[in-house]
Amino acid sequence: MPPPPSSHKTLSIPLSNLTTLLQTLQAALSHPPPKPTTPDPPNALSLLHDSSSLLHAQTTKLSLLLLTPPFTPTAIASILNSISSSCLPGLMSVWELCDARRYSSTLQEEIRALLRDMVTGMLGLAGMVSRDENVKGEGKREEILQATAQVWQVCERMNKVAGMGITGVAVEKANA
């Protein structure tokens, strides 16, 4: 039976993939979204809700695995792969589908701000993934909890925006 792969090898590729996707989304957010090319594109707000709900759940699992011994690199890698293969592509698609003519520039800018906050939070959480040991010390635990809370807050706001729709966001902005 071959020896189990090292934690570094097990986490290196999933962590690199996640970071690359987050950086790609971050770069995409600095430009207007491309014009949708499909005649009847999916509803960006439904996709926003579903993707952010899934990201919230995956972030919860990731945080628990990072905070609770024993350190399980294969389980962490599985969650990182899931975020990279489902949550992030969904959220990237939301940005591509969020055409200002269909969803308003107000909603488009709100989604841009939320996605930027999500990228920042996820990059912070990804930076907390230790490749070879359990979380040591209360300071690191607190950092993981803070990074997780930041992602949760963004996910909850994304769900709220998805539920409010164009009109709700416009009213909220007008009342602010």
Side-chain angles (χ1 to χ4, degrees):
M1 184 167 177
S6 72
S7 299
H8 178 72
K9 276 186 173 178
T10 302
L11 291 174
S12 181
I13 292 172
L15 193 54
S16 176
N17 289 344
L18 176 65
T19 303
T20 300
L21 280 172
L22 288 165
Q23 292 167 343
T24 301
L25 179 54
Q26 191 172 42
L29 292 170
S30 64
H31 305 288
K35 303 269 188 268
T37 57
T38 57
D40 189 25
N43 184 317
L45 296 178
S46 294
L47 185 56
L48 178 67
H49 179 272
D50 294 346
S51 297
S52 63
S53 295
L54 184 56
L55 180 62
H56 190 285
Q58 295 294 9
T59 303
T60 301
K61 291 193 303 189
L62 179 60
S63 178
L64 288 171
L65 285 172
L66 290 173
L67 294 170
T68 309
F71 183 72
T72 50
T74 54
I76 292 170
S78 173
I79 292 169
L80 296 176
N81 285 330
S82 178
I83 292 170
S84 296
S85 66
S86 59
C87 307
L88 291 182
L91 292 168
M92 291 171 94
S93 295
V94 167
W95 178 242
E96 292 173 356
L97 293 170
C98 192
D99 182 43
R101 290 175 293 153
R102 181 171 182 194
Y103 289 99
S104 83
S105 59
T106 302
L107 184 60
Q108 185 183 58
E109 286 308 311
E110 179 71 16
I111 289 174
R112 180 194 311 252
L114 289 168
L115 291 174
R116 282 183 174 154
D117 290 346
M118 180 277 302
V119 167
T120 301
M122 284 303 300
L123 284 170
L125 190 57
M128 299 289 121
V129 175
S130 172
R131 288 186 169 98
D132 56 3
E133 61 181 301
N134 289 320
V135 174
K136 303 275 193 229
E138 195 57 38
K140 179 118 181 193
R141 293 180 67 81
E142 190 62 34
E143 288 177 38
I144 292 170
L145 291 171
Q146 287 176 350
T148 302
Q150 181 181 0
V151 175
W152 284 353
Q153 287 174 338
V154 173
C155 290
E156 289 163 4
R157 175 71 183 152
M158 286 181 188
N159 284 339
K160 183 178 179 184
V161 165
M164 290 188 315
I166 299 167
T167 307
V169 170
V171 169
E172 183 179 78
K173 294 287 182 187
N175 291 334

